[in-house]
Each structure stands twice: as structure tokens, then as C-alpha cells.
Amino acid sequence: MSSDEQNKEDDYNDFSGDENGDKDKKQGSPKKKEKKEGKAKEGKTKEGNEKDEEMKKLREQKKQMGKEGKYLEADKIKKKIKDMKKGSSNQKNEEFEESMVKEKKALDEEYEKEKKNLEKKWEEKIQKFDQDREKQEKELVDSQKKKSEEYKKELNDKYPKIKYSTDYLNGRVQEKNLAKIDKYKEAEQLRVINEKLKEKENEAYEKEKSAKINRNMETLETKQNQDLKTLRDKQKRTYDILLSKKEKDFATLESKYKGKMQNLEAKEKKQQGSSMKEVDEE
């Protein structure tokens, strides 16, 4: 990570609203922090330049010793240069590793933040789906209940009125005729017989009427249950699609951050190889 990238990361970490106000006061403003880091960088650059100058002088001395035939002296200088390069390489590696640790940590934090936001987004989507599903079912069930009540009333109202048998109707006529000729005792006996016959025929009528209405209501109920099942099947398909999209979103997010992490690891591996090659080249 470059110094500019590091400064941007520090600015992001420092910016956290009012709750971190006290922390900012203790640590100082971002500008002061940048100035301080700039001085540190300038110091490192100066130190690096001094080492480069010293290395340059040593290389010239090694070359001169080789020309003069002072091979042992040249070999000593060569080892010294190699040790200096190794020390410089170790320092660079430490700085690089520190940078890698920060980058990986920042990447992990970014991933967790995005994952949390994605979880919240899908939680809200699923919750809305459940609310809509319950609303749709309630509306359908209420509508079916109302339709059932109206249909049952319609069947009752339109059902033909009872038609009594000829035996009952003739018995009523005979009953009235007996009363007209003052045969009240015989009329009363016939009235009791007629009432029992009427009650029997009423019961048969109500039974038949109830059976026919129930058959019609069962047909309607079967259709309504099928309609409810169709709705639930459709809702399940929609829910399955939602879950598939949710799974795809999380897989995409994970793949994205795995790719970023692999890039960092490749960068780290390349740096390690480069450092070893640089030391061996002397």
C-alpha cells in the first residue's frame, strides 16, 4: 500500500461522527497526522538515499579491488554489500508485510460490512414477501367465506318449496268435512294422523334439501381449496426464486472478496520472490 493509500485509510478510520469526537481531539486533526507522516516518510527517504550512496561507493571499491588484483578485499566488500542489501530487503519486507496486514484487515472489514448490509437487505425482502403472502391469503380466504355465505343463502332461497303428498292433502279435506257435519271426535282423530304425516314429510323435505345444498357447498369448497392451493404454489415458486437470488448475491459477494484476497496474496508472493532475487543478484 502506498503512503497516499495509507493516508486515505487513516482518514476513513478517523471519520466516525460525533461518537469519535473525543478520539479525534486526542489524536489530532487529519492534516496534522498527514504532516507528521510526511516527515516520517521524508526521514525514511533520506536514510534510503544515504544507504544508496554508501552502496554505490562500495561497488566502486569492489570494482577497483578486482582491477588491482586484490580479490580477497573485493570478496569482503561483496559480502558487505550483500549483507547491506539483505538488511535493506528485510526492512522493506517488514514494511511490506505490515502494509499487507493492514490491507487484508481493511478488506475483511469491508467484506463483513457489505455482508451485513446484504443480510439486512434480504431480511427486509423476505419480511415484505411474508407480509404480502399473508395479506393475499387473508384476502382470498375472506372473499371465499363471503362467497360461501352468499351462495348458501341463494341455494336456500331458490330451493323449491315443499309439496305435500296426496294422502296428506286428502286427509286435511276429510278432516274439515267431518268438522262441518259436527263429527268433531272423528275430525280430531284424523287431525292427529294428518299432523304426524305432515311432520314426517317435512323431515324428509328438510333432509333432501340439506343434502342437495351440502353437495353444492362441497363442490364450491373443493374449488376454493384448489384456488388457495394454486395461490400457495405460486407463492412458493416466488419464494424459491427469492432464495435463489439471495444465494447468488452472497456467492457473488464472496467470490468478489476471494478474488481481491487472492490478488493481495499474489502481490505478497511476488514481493517475496523479488526480494530474494534482489539479494542473490549481488
Side-chain angles (χ1 to χ4, degrees), residues 97-269:
E97 284 299 324
E98 186 179 341
S99 167
M100 284 293 99
V101 169
K102 287 183 179 180
E103 284 192 56
K104 287 178 180 179
K105 183 182 178 184
L107 186 60
D108 285 338
E109 289 173 353
E110 185 183 352
Y111 170 68
E112 289 301 323
K113 184 179 178 181
E114 280 204 50
K115 185 179 177 183
K116 189 175 180 180
N117 290 338
L118 193 59
E119 284 171 349
K120 184 180 178 183
K121 169 190 168 184
W122 274 105
E123 184 180 345
E124 290 172 354
K125 276 191 175 184
I126 299 298
Q127 187 177 21
K128 186 178 183 304
F129 170 82
D130 286 337
Q131 290 172 349
D132 291 342
R133 176 184 57 78
E134 289 176 4
K135 183 181 177 184
Q136 288 172 352
E137 280 198 25
K138 186 177 184 305
E139 287 176 352
L140 180 60
V141 170
D142 289 346
S143 173
Q144 289 178 339
K145 185 179 179 182
K146 184 180 179 182
K147 189 173 182 179
S148 294
E149 290 171 353
E150 291 173 350
Y151 185 56
K152 190 171 185 178
K153 184 177 182 301
E154 181 184 346
L155 290 174
N156 272 295
D157 292 343
K158 289 185 176 181
Y159 198 82
K161 292 183 179 180
I162 187 171
K163 290 182 179 181
Y164 291 106
S165 67
T166 305
D167 290 343
Y168 172 74
L169 296 174
N170 289 338
R172 287 290 295 167
V173 172
Q174 291 174 12
E175 176 190 331
K176 290 178 181 179
N177 288 336
L178 287 170
K180 285 179 182 179
I181 59 175
D182 298 334
K183 289 186 177 183
Y184 299 113
K185 190 174 182 180
E186 291 84 348
E188 175 61 19
Q189 290 174 345
L190 191 55
R191 185 190 68 78
V192 172
I193 293 172
N194 288 335
E195 286 298 320
K196 287 182 180 180
L197 183 58
K198 181 182 180 182
E199 184 179 347
K200 185 179 179 181
E201 291 184 8
N202 280 338
E203 286 178 2
Y205 168 81
E206 289 297 331
K207 187 177 180 180
E208 182 182 357
K209 176 183 177 181
S210 178
K212 287 184 177 180
I213 289 176
N214 286 340
R215 282 196 296 271
N216 283 296
M217 293 303 295
E218 285 171 3
T219 301
L220 176 63
E221 185 179 356
T222 300
K223 182 181 179 304
Q224 289 179 339
N225 287 339
Q226 184 59 45
D227 290 343
L228 185 58
K229 183 180 182 301
T230 300
L231 174 64
R232 286 173 176 169
D233 288 344
K234 181 181 178 182
Q235 290 171 338
K236 186 180 184 303
R237 288 194 298 272
T238 304
Y239 183 68
D240 289 342
I241 291 171
L242 272 178
L243 290 184
S244 179
K245 287 182 177 179
K246 177 184 176 182
E247 187 177 343
K248 186 177 179 182
D249 278 359
F250 278 95
T252 301
L253 177 66
E254 187 176 355
S255 177
K256 181 177 80 170
Y257 279 96
K258 274 186 178 179
K260 287 185 177 182
M261 187 61 75
Q262 286 171 356
N263 288 340
L264 284 179
E265 289 170 351
K267 181 180 177 182
E268 188 175 15
K269 191 174 180 181

Side-chain angles (χ1 to χ4, degrees), residues 30-86:
K31 287 184 179 180
K32 288 182 179 179
K33 195 169 184 180
E34 287 177 13
K35 189 175 181 181
K36 187 177 179 181
E37 288 178 352
K39 287 182 178 180
K41 183 181 176 184
E42 186 180 339
K44 286 183 179 181
T45 303
K46 185 177 179 182
E47 183 181 348
N49 290 338
E50 289 175 354
K51 284 185 177 181
D52 288 343
E53 286 295 322
E54 186 177 355
M55 293 273 281
K56 185 178 179 182
K57 288 178 181 179
L58 286 171
R59 285 191 180 97
E60 289 174 357
Q61 288 176 14
K62 182 186 73 167
K63 188 176 180 181
Q64 185 63 35
M65 292 296 105
K67 286 180 179 181
E68 294 176 3
K70 298 178 180 179
Y71 303 125
L72 292 178
E73 291 296 327
D75 189 60
K76 286 181 182 179
I77 296 172
K78 177 184 175 181
K79 288 179 180 178
K80 186 175 181 180
I81 292 171
K82 190 171 183 179
D83 289 341
M84 285 183 68
K85 287 181 74 175
K86 188 174 181 182

Side-chain angles (χ1 to χ4, degrees), residues 2-51:
S2 67
S3 296
D4 290 340
E5 288 172 337
Q6 181 63 47
N7 290 339
K8 287 179 182 177
E9 182 182 345
D10 291 336
D11 288 346
Y12 173 79
N13 291 333
D14 287 341
F15 183 75
S16 55
D18 294 338
E19 64 183 11
N20 287 335
D22 293 338
K23 186 178 178 182
D24 289 341
K25 289 178 182 178
K26 291 177 183 178
Q27 292 180 344
S29 67
K31 287 184 179 180
K32 288 182 179 179
K33 195 169 184 180
E34 287 177 13
K35 189 175 181 181
K36 187 177 179 181
E37 288 178 352
K39 287 182 178 180
K41 183 181 176 184
E42 186 180 339
K44 286 183 179 181
T45 303
K46 185 177 179 182
E47 183 181 348
N49 290 338
E50 289 175 354
K51 284 185 177 181

